[in-house]
Amino acid sequence: MEYLLKPFTIFGDATGSLIAIEALKDIPFEIKRVYYVYGTAEHAVRGRHAHRELEQVIFCPIGSCDFILDNGKERLTVTMNEPNKGLYLKGNIWREFTNFSTDCVVMVLASRHYDESDYIRNYDQFLKEISQ
Ligand code: TYD
């Protein structure tokens, strides 16, 4: 399964680092929503869903975690531990997030407002929809 882990320029000097993200330039969509997840228990599993239309670029600006991606045929793990890498997800991919470091922050840029009808939260339903 191919996936895009896009690198962003780090503007760094002796005082620290800065990463800039611009919609429709670095991100291939207009950003309609930003959310972040933090304080997650190490062995918690979040996600466990797919999206029908949503596009996302996902960052782990602090700490680390594993993103498990599943297209119904193949399942792989992307370890997110670099603040300047954005994981671009588009299309119907089942995703699970786990192995959170205690300081982990996951920040998500999304192409649409929150819409529960865009979620597929049942794995069998996901397999059914991707086979159609
Ligand atoms: P959910 O997407 O299931 O979180 P995760 O995939 O990280 O486990 O969302 C958890 C709760 O937060 C759920 O009740 C819906 C709510 N929520 C919003 O209200 N707006 C949002 O943009 C998101 C992502 C979630």
Side-chain angles (χ1 to χ4, degrees), residues 33-35 37 45-49 51 56 95 97 112-116 119 121:
R33 179 165 54 110
V34 177
Y35 64 92
V37 176
V45 181
R46 296 199 63 124
R48 290 188 199 267
H49 62 250
H51 286 285
Q56 295 169 304
R95 72 285 302 272
F97 316 136
R112 298 163 73 102
H113 293 142
Y114 177 75
D115 175 8
E116 187 58 36
Y119 281 74
R121 292 193 184 271

Side-chain angles (χ1 to χ4, degrees), residues 51-111:
H51 286 285
R52 296 187 170 94
E53 302 291 338
L54 189 69
E55 291 178 65
Q56 295 169 304
V57 180
I58 304 175
F59 293 85
C60 184
I62 301 171
S64 64
C65 64
D66 286 341
F67 282 37
I68 297 160
L69 306 180
D70 180 337
N71 64 3
K73 299 190 185 85
E74 204 184 332
R75 181 171 268 245
L76 57 80
T77 300
V78 182
T79 296
M80 300 289 288
N81 55 9
E82 294 175 283
N84 72 319
K85 296 276 175 69
L87 178 65
Y88 176 52
L89 295 183
K90 181 186 183 180
N92 209 336
I93 296 171
W94 186 265
R95 72 285 302 272
E96 299 178 3
F97 316 136
T98 191
N99 286 337
F100 296 91
S101 64
T102 47
D103 60 348
C104 179
V105 177
V106 173
M107 181 182 75
V108 182
L109 312 181
S111 64

